[in-house]
Amino acid sequence: MITIKDIAKEANVSAGTVDRVLHNRGGVSPKTETKIKKILKQKKFKINLIASSLAMKKHHNLATLIPQYDEQNLFWKSPYSGIQKASQEVSAYGIENKVFFFDQSDPKSYLKAFRKLIKTEPDAVVMVPLFVKESHEIIKLLNLKKIPYIFLNVDLKGLAFGGSSCNNLSYIGQKSFDAGILSGKLSHLCSKNGDEFLIVMTRKNIHDYEAINERVKGFKSYFQDNVPDAHIHQLKFDQSDGFETVKKKINTFLTKNQRVKVIMVPSSRVSYICKTIEKDHLLRLKIIGFDTTPQNVEALKKSIVAFLISQKSFNQGYKSIITIANYMVYKEMPTNEIPTPLEIITKENYKYSHSEERKYYNEN
Amino acid sequence: MITIKDIAKEANVSAGTVDRVLHNRGGVSPKTETKIKKILKQKKFKINLIASSLAMKKHHNLATLIPQYDEQNLFWKSPYSGIQKASQEVSAYGIENKVFFFDQSDPKSYLKAFRKLIKTEPDAVVMVPLFVKESHEIIKLLNLKKIPYIFLNVDLKGLAFGGSSCNNLSYIGQKSFDAGILSGKLSHLCSKNGDEFLIVMTRKNIHDYEAINERVKGFKSYFQDNVPDAHIHQLKFDQSDGFETVKKKINTFLTKNQRVKVIMVPSSRVSYICKTIEKDHLLRLKIIGFDTTPQNVEALKKSIVAFLISQKSFNQGYKSIITIANYMVYKEMPTNEIPTPLEIITKENYKYSHSEERKYYNEN
DNA sequence: GTTGAGGTAGTGTCCGCACACGAAAATTAA
DNA sequence: TTAATTTTCGTGTGCGGACACTACCTCAAC
């Protein structure tokens, strides 16, 4: 291992001078600077991050704003776990992460949580900008205070509000349109000529709208490009529709349309939909859904669902923290978008995915 | 952040004493020990890994034994890249990794490379035990010298040689049988009743035999369990068969067996096989292969191949180093097996997979 | 009462780097 | 030539912890 001292000795200068060159801190004559830089390259010197971060030891405050999860909707549990794991790891680098929760169906609680957050005077923020209008306010304040922030799972790209645009360092999440395309491909692959398709949309929370819509667009786009004459049906349900209503509508539809062989559910509620479908219909159907919630995985294991497209939300949460931490500690600028993989999960490979997540649970 | 000094002050002892308690190094009276432990828990003290690893700064020698890659066979490039990336990361922890290559078709070069390796007196070894008999010798010596080792990509489990069994800390790689099952499921999903299946086996290197065989077994096992009356054909080619021979045999077969609609190639040579198949056959076929070699990905992008099952070999290489490093530095015992995910790759999600690997290439 | 062994606990140094302070050298001004 | 500046660079300290070395204390044996 090459150290600063090694370089200094080689260049006949002191460690301090090498340090100045390394950090472009100036005060070094051009001659010695080039000399040192040459030796640096030649010896392939790389800063020892361990020692570096120990020596810097600034204390960073990080704050996270995410929806609260509950038994009804476990979706946000995964990213939270990822956030927890990452927070633990970066704590050694002097970064303390405070997490603030809000009710995903209540914009007011979103603002309220943010106000609590901002009082802690964070140096950086990771947030899920679930509500557009309220995010406007939040972002204006963050821009004003020059607090860097990144978006997690939900993007707000291109949305410029009167003068204050989104200057988020990065967006970490899935590309819903492409996920839709993938669902189209999978649907296509497990169908034969003449089969018809059904999209079942449920809207439990308004905010999902954007992602769900994009997935449907992607799905249709795939068929537009590859099987233009495919017959794609669509059913929509509202929050107000009860289980029995949904059940009746779907089964009536499926009885009338026997050629429908593939169902795509663009939300994370595929298992709920499956429960409403009668068994004899299920037998002829291939069903594709999104997100590996416990209920969905259950349906996968029972071979009711053929494919789940996962967005690895644990990893999203994890990455968001790591990314912002690297920015705070090493000023490492993240790419504008960090798309998470489109992971295809089946009954057969489920147990090998999410190993990081499970490992984390076991350790804690 | 709580430091050792904080604890020491609180307990009216010196930092050294706290340190002794933390590491169970003895020499502390029961009274003070319990007192310190209480404060430790109460204040939720956690060792600062950054400072810790800096202070320990033992120099660890790590050695890696893997097959050399060439333009013909790029498979081993990926794990090597992962190994490189991880080596770089752990170098800050005082771990120096020396990589030794061997010719994957020559057992002698395997032994020769190992002899060079052992001369460097490594503290731990990561190896690909490609040749069973020669690995015997190697493992005997490693056991004797009490050098810990882990297996990468190829397992040697259960193989007890006269007295000296494999004491590898861990195996990092894919479960080939399960990968085969998955390929069966995918084949099944993209077929309809009455379709027939074809397995095309090529053996370029003898060592692949085990993995390929397991994949075929898994494939068959899937159908045994789910579609017992499925008609599964099999074609085998030898290293000696030239391109034209293969081409003729395959196309003749496909002409005769028009009901074959899915081809599974259990090796990483699916793109090669595709090249031999005539276009009019290709149109009716769904083809499933393994490993994301550049050529295979090319075929995937052209929609010739429907699915590739990837073993994320970059990650395998990366993980192997990280795992052994954690063992050396923190004495963290890995699990006996670290199976890598069975990743399903299609034309639509390829660009989102392997992001780590691409990022690494871009940085270097 | 002196000596020595064994058990406890404090001190100092180092890991590699960041950064402040001030010294030396180089340049300019007087 | 000397004083005043400015540029360039060396030194020292500390980040939090690991560990060797040393000092102290107790208690028993002679």
Side-chain angles (χ1 to χ4, degrees):
Chain A
M1 150 153 280
I2 313 290
T3 74
I4 284 190
K5 278 182 193 165
D6 296 328
I7 304 292
K9 206 187 293 171
E10 182 84 11
N12 277 322
V13 292
S14 77
T17 307
V18 177
D19 180 72
R20 271 181 281 264
V21 172
L22 279 173
H23 295 78
N24 289 315
R25 232 182 298 112
V28 180
S29 70
K31 270 179 284 177
T32 46
E33 177 159 355
T34 49
K35 184 167 73 176
I36 290 174
K37 276 191 175 168
K38 210 181 91 187
I39 297 174
L40 244 27
K41 264 181 201 163
Q42 180 207 319
K43 297 229 165 187
K44 289 179 187 165
F45 173 83
K46 279 198 179 154
I47 260 183
N48 183 333
L49 289 183
I50 301 288
S52 173
S53 67
L54 180 62
M56 286 207 277
K57 205 73 212 145
K58 278 174 217 139
H59 199 72
H60 300 278
N61 282 317
L62 174 58
T64 309
L65 185 61
I66 61 168
Q68 177 69 275
Y69 65 85
D70 52 38
E71 295 110 57
Q72 297 282 315
N73 197 324
L74 282 167
F75 178 81
W76 291 104
K77 188 176 180 185
S78 256
Y80 176 62
S81 303
I83 286 169
Q84 288 292 89
K85 182 182 158 111
S87 300
Q88 199 177 304
E89 282 182 18
V90 300
S91 72
Y93 293 82
I95 294 174
E96 195 189 351
N97 183 26
K98 291 202 183 78
V99 181
F100 298 84
F101 295 102
F102 61 90
D103 179 347
Q104 60 183 304
S105 57
D106 178 12
K108 278 182 192 164
S109 87
Y110 176 56
L111 275 179
K112 200 173 145 194
F114 177 73
R115 278 194 215 101
K116 255 204 276 180
L117 179 155
I118 205 68
K119 269 185 198 156
T120 66
E121 303 200 338
D123 304 309
V125 171
V126 171
M127 61 186 283
V128 179
L130 215 50
F131 306 102
V132 177
K133 214 169 63 181
E134 287 75 13
S135 297
H136 178 177
E137 242 181 88
I138 289 178
I139 279 155
K140 217 160 65 177
L141 188 56
L142 290 175
N143 284 342
L144 189 72
K145 294 205 170 201
K146 288 181 182 164
I147 298 174
Y149 52 96
I150 68 181
F151 293 152
L152 171 60
N153 198 281
V154 176
D155 202 358
L156 231 54
K157 69 181 166 204
L159 289 180
F161 314 102
S164 61
S165 61
C166 292
N167 291 321
N168 58 313
L169 282 175
S170 187
Y171 158 64
I172 291 167
Q174 202 175 47
K175 311 286 261 177
S176 303
F177 184 81
D178 287 356
I181 291 184
L182 179 59
S183 71
K185 164 74 161 252
L186 293 176
S187 301
H188 182 202
L189 278 174
C190 59
S191 69
K192 57 181 189 299
N193 275 346
D195 284 353
E196 298 178 3
F197 305 87
L198 169 63
I199 300 173
V200 180
M201 296 174 79
T202 63
R203 259 199 294 157
K204 200 186 178 193
N205 301 297
I206 314 144
H207 74 270
D208 290 331
Y209 189 69
E210 179 68 15
I212 291 177
N213 229 19
E214 285 292 307
R215 285 173 186 164
V216 171
K217 273 192 209 164
F219 183 87
K220 288 181 177 170
S221 152
Y222 174 85
F223 281 97
Q224 194 65 44
D225 294 348
N226 296 279
V227 199
D229 57 341
H231 201 331
I232 301 172
H233 304 268
Q234 214 161 332
L235 282 180
K236 281 190 192 181
F237 296 106
D238 230 61
Q239 179 117 27
S240 55
D241 295 318
F243 182 83
E244 288 304 326
T245 317
V246 176
K247 180 167 182 168
K248 201 173 155 193
K249 279 190 191 169
I250 287 194
N251 287 295
T252 309
F253 176 89
L254 286 173
T255 308
K256 271 192 200 161
N257 298 272
Q258 292 286 339
R259 301 181 73 177
V260 166
K261 295 289 167 58
V262 180
I263 294 184
M264 191 278 264
V265 182
S267 69
S268 61
R269 312 203 68 216
V270 63
S271 57
Y272 177 78
I273 298 299
C274 287
K275 274 182 197 145
T276 69
I277 301 177
E278 281 158 11
K279 274 188 187 159
D280 43 332
H281 287 314
L282 280 180
L283 284 175
R284 76 162 195 273
L285 291 168
K286 308 270 171 66
I287 300 175
I288 297 175
F290 286 81
D291 298 332
T292 51
T293 63
Q295 299 96 327
N296 288 355
V297 169
E298 206 47 49
L300 194 73
K301 283 183 181 166
K302 286 181 187 159
S303 292
I304 296 170
V305 168
F307 291 113
L308 285 177
I309 296 176
S310 157
Q311 54 179 314
K312 302 191 99 179
S313 43
F314 178 86
N315 289 39
Q316 284 179 10
Y318 181 81
K319 261 195 187 168
S320 66
I321 300 298
I322 298 292
T323 303
I324 198 103
N326 277 329
Y327 175 74
M328 290 195 284
V329 177
Y330 305 119
K331 282 155 193 106
E332 187 182 294
M333 204 66 187
T335 52
N336 196 263
E337 281 188 334
I338 303 181
T340 43
L342 306 174
E343 211 185 20
I344 304 172
I345 311 284
T346 73
K347 182 186 176 186
E348 287 72 21
N349 71 351
Y350 172 72
K351 64 178 165 189
Y352 294 117
S353 70
H354 300 248
S355 56
E356 293 301 322
E357 186 167 355
R358 273 202 303 277
K359 197 179 158 202
Y360 176 75
Y361 284 135
N362 291 342
E363 280 169 3
N364 291 273
Chain B
M1 153 152 278
I2 314 291
T3 74
I4 284 191
K5 280 178 194 167
D6 296 329
I7 304 293
K9 206 188 293 173
E10 182 83 13
N12 278 321
V13 293
S14 77
T17 308
V18 178
D19 182 72
R20 273 182 280 264
V21 173
L22 281 173
H23 295 69
N24 291 316
R25 228 176 309 108
V28 181
S29 71
K31 269 179 283 175
T32 44
E33 177 159 353
T34 49
K35 185 169 70 176
I36 289 174
K37 276 191 174 168
K38 209 181 93 187
I39 297 174
L40 245 26
K41 264 181 200 162
Q42 181 205 319
K43 297 230 165 187
K44 288 177 189 166
F45 174 84
K46 275 191 183 164
I47 271 184
N48 182 335
L49 286 184
I50 301 289
S52 173
S53 67
L54 180 63
M56 285 207 277
K57 204 78 212 139
K58 278 176 216 138
H59 201 73
H60 299 280
N61 282 317
L62 174 57
T64 309
L65 186 61
I66 61 169
Q68 178 68 274
Y69 65 84
D70 52 39
E71 295 111 57
Q72 298 281 314
N73 198 324
L74 283 167
F75 178 80
W76 291 104
K77 188 177 180 183
S78 256
Y80 176 60
S81 302
I83 286 170
Q84 287 293 88
K85 183 183 158 110
S87 301
Q88 197 177 305
E89 282 181 19
V90 299
S91 73
Y93 292 83
I95 294 173
E96 195 190 354
N97 183 26
K98 289 203 184 77
V99 181
F100 297 84
F101 295 102
F102 61 90
D103 180 347
Q104 61 182 303
S105 58
D106 179 11
K108 278 182 192 164
S109 87
Y110 177 56
L111 275 180
K112 200 173 145 194
F114 177 73
R115 278 194 214 100
K116 255 204 275 180
L117 179 155
I118 205 69
K119 269 185 197 157
T120 66
E121 303 200 338
D123 305 309
V125 171
V126 171
M127 61 186 283
V128 179
L130 215 49
F131 306 102
V132 176
K133 215 170 62 180
E134 287 76 13
S135 298
H136 178 180
E137 242 181 87
I138 288 177
I139 279 154
K140 216 163 64 178
L141 187 55
L142 289 175
N143 285 342
L144 190 72
K145 293 205 169 204
K146 288 181 181 164
I147 298 173
Y149 52 97
I150 67 180
F151 292 152
L152 171 59
N153 197 282
V154 177
D155 203 359
L156 230 57
K157 67 182 169 207
L159 291 180
F161 315 100
S164 62
S165 61
C166 291
N167 291 321
N168 57 313
L169 281 175
S170 187
Y171 158 64
I172 291 165
Q174 202 173 47
K175 311 288 260 178
S176 302
F177 184 81
D178 288 356
I181 291 185
L182 179 59
S183 71
K185 165 72 162 252
L186 293 176
S187 302
H188 182 202
L189 278 174
C190 57
S191 68
K192 55 184 192 298
N193 274 345
D195 285 352
E196 298 179 1
F197 305 87
L198 170 63
I199 300 174
V200 179
M201 295 176 79
T202 63
R203 255 200 295 158
K204 200 185 176 193
N205 301 296
I206 314 143
H207 74 269
D208 290 331
Y209 189 70
E210 179 68 15
I212 290 177
N213 228 20
E214 284 293 306
R215 286 172 185 164
V216 171
K217 274 192 208 161
F219 183 88
K220 288 181 176 168
S221 151
Y222 174 85
F223 281 98
Q224 194 65 45
D225 294 348
N226 296 279
V227 199
D229 57 341
H231 201 330
I232 301 173
H233 303 269
Q234 214 160 332
L235 282 179
K236 281 189 193 181
F237 296 105
D238 229 62
Q239 179 118 27
S240 55
D241 294 318
F243 183 83
E244 289 304 327
T245 318
V246 176
K247 181 168 181 168
K248 202 171 153 191
K249 279 191 191 167
I250 287 195
N251 286 295
T252 309
F253 176 89
L254 287 172
T255 307
K256 271 192 199 159
N257 298 272
Q258 292 286 339
R259 300 180 74 176
V260 166
K261 294 291 167 57
V262 180
I263 294 182
M264 192 277 265
V265 182
S267 69
S268 62
R269 311 204 68 215
V270 62
S271 58
Y272 177 78
I273 297 300
C274 287
K275 274 184 196 143
T276 68
I277 301 177
E278 280 158 13
K279 273 186 187 159
D280 43 330
H281 286 315
L282 279 181
L283 284 175
R284 76 161 195 273
L285 291 169
K286 307 270 172 66
I287 300 175
I288 296 175
F290 286 81
D291 298 332
T292 51
T293 62
Q295 299 95 325
N296 288 356
V297 169
E298 206 48 49
L300 194 72
K301 283 184 180 165
K302 287 181 186 159
S303 292
I304 298 170
V305 168
F307 291 113
L308 285 177
I309 296 175
S310 157
Q311 53 179 315
K312 301 190 100 180
S313 43
F314 178 87
N315 288 38
Q316 284 179 11
Y318 181 82
K319 260 194 187 167
S320 65
I321 300 297
I322 297 293
T323 303
I324 199 102
N326 277 330
Y327 175 74
M328 288 196 283
V329 177
Y330 303 119
K331 281 152 194 112
E332 188 182 292
M333 204 66 187
T335 52
N336 197 263
E337 279 188 338
I338 302 181
T340 44
L342 305 175
E343 211 186 22
I344 304 171
I345 310 285
T346 73
K347 182 187 176 187
E348 287 72 21
N349 72 350
Y350 172 71
K351 64 179 165 188
Y352 294 118
S353 70
H354 299 249
S355 55
E356 294 300 322
E357 186 167 356
R358 273 202 304 277
K359 198 178 155 202
Y360 175 74
Y361 284 136
N362 291 340
E363 280 169 2
N364 292 274

